[in-house]
Amino acid sequence: MSEPIAIIAGRGALPGLVADTLRARGTGCTVVAIAGFAPEGVAADATLQIERLVPFLQDLVARGIHRVLFAGALQRPRLDPSLFDPATAAEVPRLLPLLQAGDDALLRGVIGLFEDSGIRVLGLADVAPELIPGAGVLGRHQPDTGARADAERAAAIVGALGALDIGQGAVVAGGLCLALESLPGTDAMLEFVVRSGGVQKLAGRAPRGVLYKAPKPDQDRRVDLPAIGPDTVSAAARAGLAGIVFAAGGAVVLERARTVEAADAAGLFLWSRGR
Amino acid sequence: MSEPIAIIAGRGALPGLVADTLRARGTGCTVVAIAGFAPEGVAADATLQIERLVPFLQDLVARGIHRVLFAGALQRPRLDPSLFDPATAAEVPRLLPLLQAGDDALLRGVIGLFEDSGIRVLGLADVAPELIPGAGVLGRHQPDTGARADAERAAAIVGALGALDIGQGAVVAGGLCLALESLPGTDAMLEFVVRSGGVQKLAGRAPRGVLYKAPKPDQDRRVDLPAIGPDTVSAAARAGLAGIVFAAGGAVVLERARTVEAADAAGLFLWSRGR
């Protein structure tokens, strides 16, 4: 039996899924909630107050935990200056400029702090590669030629955005870019498409168009992979899209059976797109 | 007295402003509405049915009009195949791929049709350069260091978006990109920031952040320049922003006195940013 793993729990169903997967395999795990953000569907064994990160890491090592996994979307915490311990406070000057940069830069800084403490940061691909589909169409609906062209344009757009360390998604229909992902995330972007009148009004054609998701070109793939789940499918259906495309090997599909079933029922394709 | 100019009227106050400016100067002008989109605050002298563009252009030339000006944001028309005349229908194969590309490509194609008919397409800079501010701060509020840094990041983002022929705007606060402009336009983007909780919630700081507007790097500056007006100021204020920045020489300020007054009253800066 391998050494236990600490799961730093972000938003969504992923932390619980990973904990179940690891435990079923006999790997011990400690679920760590981030103070202020309760995990969904899984009990937290410990809470991390970011302002006391350094003693927290020392405590993990003292308990024989040398591996952590970040699971689920992380939110930017509001830091309370009065809560810092001296050791973490000493790291603030190093992290401060990163708080004003994009997510990648900030996460790289945080990973650096873990590694400096002798803790290895694992990626989801290390512990549960089955959650990251390879290339192929997952459900029974296939993308047509128009959807393939939209996916190609969206991939170029998301790649350019990602190079600027913003957004991991876009909505493209009939070659037109209807929405771009920024800080508020994918759900907010899809809601924006619905509020703007949906694909029909914006692109002026029959229902079509794609949601495209991919990691940023330079991001550390151990953290913050884009995730697709049943909720993504219903939001994409509400927006009037023809399907969901994501970069093969670069996105997590949560509850794959339910997600595929939802897409099949809604008439949407689910395409894990290779290069 | 110079030859008359046809003004192709898009959305907003600009077509009326330009018509008034030209007439005050003694230049005759014909305001042309696009079928399906009534101009605001100005009477149309003629209506252009896009499906009959070629005969319309021939008629302009027959009436001694050899110059046109596109004023105001253009919307993508829904074309009705049954309305095409044979000469315009013959141009469709050339325009069809452009309808599925970004705005720049489409507008370049449309400008090409005008020029092929012997009509010169003017830019606003040719007829009313006073509407396009040079570098400087327009009102009484000044951008601070943080706002200048946000403007710089926003300019990089909008430049990258523009190179892909999408969006002319972004909202950046404390270095974080809160929203990106796509097909639905600036108002929809600012409304998105409000709905997402505004700058305070997203960036987690005191009110700050900028709306940045600039033309796309490769766009033809004779059409579709970004425009700022009193409504932009109130939308930016609702979103909790500190000010509005636009590329000097690349954006139109409508009703400048009212716009500056509104910004001054709302505590927002209005900065025409040079390089």
Side-chain angles (χ1 to χ4, degrees):
Chain A
M1 214 179 92
S2 57
E3 240 192 35
I5 295 176
I7 298 173
I8 313 284
R11 269 191 298 190
L14 188 59
L17 286 175
V18 172
D20 291 346
T21 303
L22 289 177
R23 284 169 181 156
R25 240 183 248 160
T27 302
C29 61
T30 296
V31 175
V32 179
I34 295 172
F37 304 102
E40 298 163 33
V42 62
D45 304 303
T47 297
L48 164 57
Q49 186 83 43
I50 304 279
E51 295 90 341
R52 299 176 192 238
L53 179 61
V54 174
F56 173 85
L57 298 176
Q58 289 163 345
D59 182 57
L60 281 187
V61 172
R63 290 163 54 202
I65 299 177
H66 296 91
R67 298 185 299 169
V68 309
L69 177 77
F70 289 86
L74 297 170
Q75 296 178 74
R76 286 173 178 260
R78 294 186 194 218
L79 301 177
D80 179 347
S82 71
L83 293 180
F84 279 94
D85 72 278
T88 307
E91 300 291 346
V92 170
R94 180 174 148 191
L95 290 180
L96 209 56
L98 302 179
L99 277 170
Q100 310 226 337
D103 290 332
D104 291 0
L106 180 57
L107 286 168
R108 271 194 295 269
V110 169
I111 287 176
L113 285 181
F114 277 75
E115 290 175 339
D116 289 354
S117 301
I119 293 172
R120 193 172 147 218
V121 176
L122 303 175
L124 195 61
D126 299 316
V127 301
E130 67 276 14
L131 296 177
I132 303 174
V137 172
L138 272 64
R140 63 184 166 86
H141 301 289
Q142 297 288 326
D144 65 11
T145 314
R148 286 175 183 273
D150 283 344
E152 191 172 335
R153 171 122 168 97
I157 291 169
V158 172
L161 283 186
L164 290 160
D165 197 0
I166 38 181
Q168 296 178 318
V171 174
V172 173
L176 304 174
C177 181
L178 307 190
L180 293 163
E181 190 174 321
S182 55
L183 194 69
T186 306
D187 291 349
M189 172 177 67
L190 291 172
E191 176 65 21
F192 173 75
V193 174
V194 174
R195 285 203 173 270
S196 308
V199 171
Q200 289 80 346
K201 173 162 180 252
L202 291 168
R205 293 177 185 86
R208 49 185 297 183
V210 305
L211 164 65
Y212 181 84
K213 295 282 300 172
K216 301 169 193 168
D218 299 328
Q219 88 175 56
D220 188 321
R221 290 197 174 193
R222 290 176 294 173
V223 288
D224 200 29
L225 283 191
I228 316 290
D231 293 350
T232 321
V233 172
S234 42
R238 271 198 307 280
L241 301 177
I244 299 171
V245 193
F246 46 91
V252 181
V253 174
L254 305 167
E255 306 173 77
R256 192 186 299 201
R258 275 189 61 209
T259 303
V260 170
E261 199 181 314
D264 283 350
L268 267 65
F269 62 79
L270 262 186
W271 176 24
S272 178
R273 181 176 178 269
R275 289 180 182 252
Chain B
M1 213 178 91
S2 56
E3 240 193 34
I5 295 175
I7 298 173
I8 313 285
R11 268 192 300 189
L14 188 60
L17 285 175
V18 173
D20 291 347
T21 302
L22 290 176
R23 283 168 180 156
R25 240 183 247 159
T27 303
C29 60
T30 297
V31 175
V32 179
I34 295 172
F37 304 102
E40 298 163 33
V42 62
D45 303 304
T47 296
L48 163 57
Q49 186 83 44
I50 304 279
E51 295 89 343
R52 298 174 193 240
L53 179 61
V54 174
F56 172 86
L57 296 177
Q58 290 164 344
D59 182 57
L60 279 188
V61 172
R63 289 162 56 201
I65 297 178
H66 296 91
R67 298 184 299 171
V68 309
L69 177 76
F70 289 86
L74 298 170
Q75 295 177 77
R76 286 171 178 261
R78 292 187 195 219
L79 301 177
D80 178 348
S82 71
L83 293 180
F84 278 94
D85 71 279
T88 307
E91 299 292 346
V92 169
R94 181 173 147 191
L95 290 180
L96 209 56
L98 303 179
L99 278 171
Q100 309 226 338
D103 290 332
D104 291 1
L106 180 58
L107 285 168
R108 271 195 295 268
V110 170
I111 287 176
L113 285 181
F114 278 76
E115 290 175 339
D116 289 353
S117 301
I119 292 172
R120 194 175 145 215
V121 175
L122 303 175
L124 194 61
D126 300 316
V127 302
E130 68 277 14
L131 295 178
I132 304 174
V137 172
L138 272 65
R140 64 184 164 86
H141 301 289
Q142 298 287 326
D144 65 12
T145 315
R148 286 175 184 272
D150 283 344
E152 192 172 334
R153 170 119 169 100
I157 292 169
V158 172
L161 283 185
L164 290 159
D165 197 0
I166 38 180
Q168 297 178 319
V171 173
V172 173
L176 304 175
C177 180
L178 307 190
L180 293 163
E181 191 173 320
S182 56
L183 194 70
T186 306
D187 291 350
M189 172 177 66
L190 290 172
E191 176 65 19
F192 172 75
V193 174
V194 173
R195 285 200 175 271
S196 307
V199 170
Q200 289 80 347
K201 172 160 181 256
L202 291 168
R205 292 178 186 85
R208 51 185 296 182
V210 305
L211 164 65
Y212 180 85
K213 295 282 299 172
K216 300 170 192 166
D218 300 327
Q219 88 174 57
D220 188 322
R221 291 199 173 192
R222 289 176 296 174
V223 287
D224 199 30
L225 283 192
I228 316 288
D231 293 349
T232 322
V233 172
S234 42
R238 271 198 307 280
L241 300 177
I244 299 171
V245 192
F246 46 91
V252 181
V253 175
L254 305 166
E255 306 174 76
R256 192 186 300 202
R258 274 188 62 210
T259 302
V260 170
E261 199 180 314
D264 284 351
L268 266 65
F269 62 79
L270 262 186
W271 176 24
S272 178
R273 181 175 177 268
R275 286 179 186 253

